[in-house]
Amino acid sequence: MSYTESIGSRTYRFADLKTLLAKASPQRSGDQLAGVAATSEEERVAAKMALAQVPLRTFLNDPLIPYETDEVTRLIIDDHSPQAFAEISHLTVGDFRNWLLSATTDTDALTGITHGLTPEMVAAVSKLMRNQDLIAAARKRPVVTRFRNTVGLPGRMSVRLQPNHPTDDVKGIAASMLDGLMYGCGDAMIGINPASDNLAAITKLLHMIDEFRQRYQLPTQSCVLTHVTSTIAAIEKGAPVDLVFQSIAGTEKANASFGISLALLREAYEAGSSLQRGTVGSNLMYFETGQGSALSADAHFGVDQQTCEARAYAVARKFKPFLVNTVVGFIGPEYLYDGKQIMRAGLEDHFCGKLLGVPMGCDICYTNHAEADQDDMDNLLTLLGVAGINFIMGVPGADDVMLNYQSTSFHDALYVRDVLGLRRAPEFEEWLESMQIIDARGALISAPTRQPLLEGARDWMGIA
């Protein structure tokens, strides 16, 4: 089905639904690279006007990637709930935007339609929304998950402590981990990106974190971000695996480029579940995504990068994850050129994920060859804090020495918690207070009379 829209004496024609979605997208370098972007601002406005009139039902009847050839499409269609969709089934995309922003649409209403939404629906409506709209709607849709603590509660924001090291040196990782904990970070998880997929090294890191956690009764979870097949192998060898990690994308072909399928993710989910290591809940998958991943694998099928990204959240939702992280600026300026594009993408991803019931966090980041700087990241950090982001990254100095990109620091987490009044996960906050790292208000204790964590941890870890 084609779509048309006139502006003045000029009529714009869009060949199909995926073309319309791509042309309606805010400007970004990845869509330009793919050759699917609008060629002018007028064409973009025309596409938005035409998209606003599309009934939401159309997305169920006109898949962007054929059902017969793509397992992600089959997942989206097969898992769709007509009952949940009934509340909004009569709306167009434009009407849906108005419904989302209505004062009468509250958390219960948004929760009720979760499984009636497809990624394409939420991607479509996001293209009609300003940044403030994305923030306002996402803020009304908290997603709460639990493993050893509770993440995503309103008024709280967690931090993934990321103590990476270029050679996986255990002492270096331990030092960064201890540093982050002393700044009150780590309630989302302690997550290490290993320099290699060597199973022995991965297992060594898992044991180190777990021994520390048990020694200090630390109510958080760990993850070594290796390929899912390596995690399964580690589980089979008896390693103390908490969260199971995998990068995912929004098409079957893109996921195949990562060496995964839905069946393999199911196997990993079942392996992690068999360990029963959660204490307050059983959400245990940790997924990372990023706009441009399908295009970089030549697996986008002409679909714009933001819609492909939203489709990845349907994959995540299937496995009831503890955390989902859009690593927003990591792939580079070929996909998100500058700070403005990175900020918009971060807000879009958070909004789309939350509407789909996914516990969204964001690695607020950029590579050194992008037209972006730390001020852009400060802006996005603040906006996502207002929008109700579940978690952000805590990287020593905001500079990841292993992955070689710029993210957010332990101090950045202190800033956004202070200015927005955000607390940590409740179980983790109680632990920090018991260790005399924070006071009853949640503020760091600048001159504690004693520091139980430091008194023995440095000697135990072999840190001078």
Side-chain angles (χ1 to χ4, degrees):
M1 177 179 176
S2 63
Y3 302 85
T4 62
E5 187 65 45
S6 296
I7 297 181
S9 61
R10 189 186 300 272
T11 298
Y12 291 90
R13 292 179 174 84
F14 308 98
D16 51 27
L17 187 56
K18 70 180 176 182
T19 301
L20 181 64
L21 287 166
K23 300 291 188 181
S25 293
Q27 183 177 10
R28 62 203 58 201
S29 53
D31 289 340
Q32 292 171 319
L33 179 65
V36 302
T39 56
S40 69
E41 286 302 318
E42 186 173 277
E43 184 183 27
R44 182 171 289 110
V45 169
K48 289 177 184 288
M49 292 169 64
L51 181 60
Q53 301 172 55
V54 175
L56 291 180
R57 287 188 179 276
T58 303
F59 295 95
L60 299 173
N61 302 323
D62 188 10
L64 306 185
I65 302 173
Y67 182 94
E68 296 77 14
T69 61
D70 187 272
E71 68 174 358
V72 177
T73 298
R74 292 194 291 275
L75 170 67
I76 291 167
I77 299 299
D78 293 349
D79 280 9
H80 181 259
S81 168
Q83 294 77 23
F85 184 57
E87 174 69 19
I88 56 171
S89 61
H90 61 291
L91 300 178
T92 65
V93 177
D95 294 332
F96 185 38
R97 173 191 176 274
N98 296 337
W99 184 85
L100 289 171
L101 297 174
S102 170
T104 60
T105 300
D106 57 12
T107 298
D108 289 342
L110 291 175
T111 302
I113 66 167
T114 297
H115 292 281
L117 295 173
T118 69
E120 292 84 357
M121 292 176 192
V122 298
V125 75
S126 77
K127 299 175 193 301
L128 305 183
M129 302 176 87
R130 293 169 56 186
N131 287 357
Q132 66 174 249
D133 300 335
L134 298 173
I135 293 167
R139 186 175 176 84
K140 295 193 286 186
R141 182 55 173 102
V143 179
V144 180
T145 55
R146 296 174 174 86
F147 189 77
R148 281 200 193 90
N149 60 27
T150 306
V151 170
L153 292 168
R156 296 181 183 265
M157 185 201 74
S158 297
V159 177
R160 170 190 159 188
L161 206 173
Q162 184 170 297
N164 294 343
H165 192 279
T167 64
D168 290 339
D169 179 77
V170 173
K171 288 185 179 181
I173 289 170
S176 293
M177 181 176 72
L178 187 60
D179 187 30
L181 290 170
M182 292 304 297
Y183 279 101
C185 294
D187 48 341
M189 70 167 177
I190 298 171
I192 302 167
N193 297 86
S196 76
D197 270 345
N198 179 276
L199 186 58
I202 291 164
T203 303
K204 186 176 182 180
L205 292 174
L206 286 167
H207 279 290
M208 183 273 288
I209 300 174
D210 198 58
E211 289 168 10
F212 179 89
R213 180 188 64 79
Q214 293 191 60
R215 181 184 180 94
Y216 291 97
Q217 299 181 313
L218 176 61
T220 193
Q221 35 285 320
S222 65
C223 185
V224 174
L225 280 67
T226 187
H227 192 269
V228 68
T229 53
S230 297
T231 301
I232 292 171
I235 291 172
E236 291 172 347
K237 289 185 174 295
V241 173
D242 288 345
L243 304 186
V244 177
F245 163 79
Q246 183 56 50
S247 293
I248 57 172
T251 72
E252 179 178 347
K253 184 179 178 182
N255 283 326
S257 75
F258 292 146
I260 62 166
S261 64
L262 296 181
L264 182 58
L265 293 178
R266 170 62 61 184
E267 180 183 348
Y269 173 77
E270 291 174 352
S273 297
S274 71
L275 300 179
Q276 298 183 331
R277 291 175 59 82
T279 55
V280 299
S282 58
N283 303 111
L284 57 85
M285 300 299 286
Y286 173 59
F287 293 119
E288 287 192 343
T289 67
Q291 286 194 28
S293 58
L295 175 58
S296 68
D298 191 25
H300 62 105
F301 302 99
V303 178
D304 69 272
Q305 68 180 39
Q306 189 248 333
T307 302
C308 282
E309 170 73 3
R311 284 169 57 94
Y313 306 151
V315 176
R317 180 170 66 178
K318 182 67 175 177
F319 299 100
K320 304 175 184 177
F322 182 64
L323 307 169
V324 176
N325 179 26
T326 170
V327 192
V328 66
F330 183 74
I331 302 182
E334 299 85 357
Y335 306 96
L336 295 169
Y337 179 72
D338 57 16
K340 182 175 182 179
Q341 291 188 14
I342 291 170
M343 280 188 276
R344 174 69 189 192
L347 294 174
E348 288 170 347
D349 294 350
H350 178 249
F351 163 83
C352 290
K354 285 294 184 65
L355 255 63
L356 291 168
V358 171
M360 291 302 298
C362 184
D363 191 340
I364 301 162
C365 63
Y366 63 102
T367 57
N368 288 318
H369 61 309
E371 291 294 321
D373 59 27
Q374 211 65 39
D375 284 337
D376 295 316
M377 301 306 105
D378 287 349
N379 293 342
L380 180 54
L381 169 64
T382 307
L383 294 173
L384 286 172
V386 174
I389 194 81
N390 278 32
F391 70 99
I392 62 168
M393 301 296 109
V395 176
D399 183 4
D400 193 297
V401 295
M402 196 280 281
L403 292 173
N404 194 29
Y405 78 116
Q406 309 305 310
S407 185
T408 47
S409 70
F410 307 144
H411 294 82
D412 294 331
L414 291 177
Y415 148 75
V416 75
R417 282 173 168 155
D418 179 54
V419 297
L420 298 179
L422 300 171
R423 305 294 290 253
R424 301 166 180 87
E427 302 89 345
F428 189 80
E429 194 167 71
E430 290 176 9
W431 179 83
L432 289 173
E433 190 173 353
S434 73
M435 300 299 288
Q436 298 183 29
I437 295 172
I438 64 171
D439 61 23
R441 298 174 294 112
L444 290 183
I445 297 175
S446 58
T449 55
R450 57 186 292 268
Q451 290 180 328
L453 186 60
L454 286 177
E455 287 177 356
R458 286 182 294 190
D459 289 340
W460 180 75
M461 292 180 175
I463 304 170

